[in-house]
Amino acid sequence: MSLRGRPVEQEATLPDGRRVVVRVAVAVDTYIPRRERHTVTLELLTEDRVEATVNTVLAPNQVGEARKLVDAVATKLQSGELQPTAAAIEPLADSIQ
């Protein structure tokens, strides 16, 4: 299994009541064949809008680490410890959980 075909997602409710989906997946780039894509991103999505996207240090085969990252971000967003911004989530994306 890899993040290429199966992104890891978890919904979180922010302290203000908004819902956000925390998603880790291989970045979509139509110019590069799918099998050659290696960039894994961490995204925050609300409704049909992307709130934040940052690159991670994860490889496409690190599904377990992706699950831990999604869980950590969702937990911190729900508690109010993190804001739903790229600047806030980037430090977590730069480390392997």
Side-chain angles (χ1 to χ4, degrees), residues 22-96:
V22 181
R23 182 175 195 259
V24 173
V26 172
V28 175
D29 186 338
T30 57
Y31 293 103
I32 301 172
R34 185 175 168 180
R35 70 183 178 284
E36 294 177 19
R37 298 179 199 158
H38 301 291
T39 303
V40 176
T41 59
L42 169 60
E43 302 173 326
L44 302 181
L45 311 163
T46 56
E47 298 175 10
D48 292 328
R49 185 175 143 183
V50 177
E51 293 292 324
T53 301
V54 296
N55 291 343
T56 73
V57 296
L58 298 176
N61 64 338
Q62 291 181 294
V63 177
E65 291 85 348
R67 285 189 184 114
K68 290 177 186 176
L69 176 59
V70 165
D71 185 57
V73 172
T75 299
K76 290 177 184 230
L77 286 168
Q78 289 181 141
S79 72
E81 185 177 339
L82 281 180
Q83 293 298 310
T85 66
I89 65 172
E90 190 170 31
L92 290 171
D94 285 342
S95 66
I96 294 178

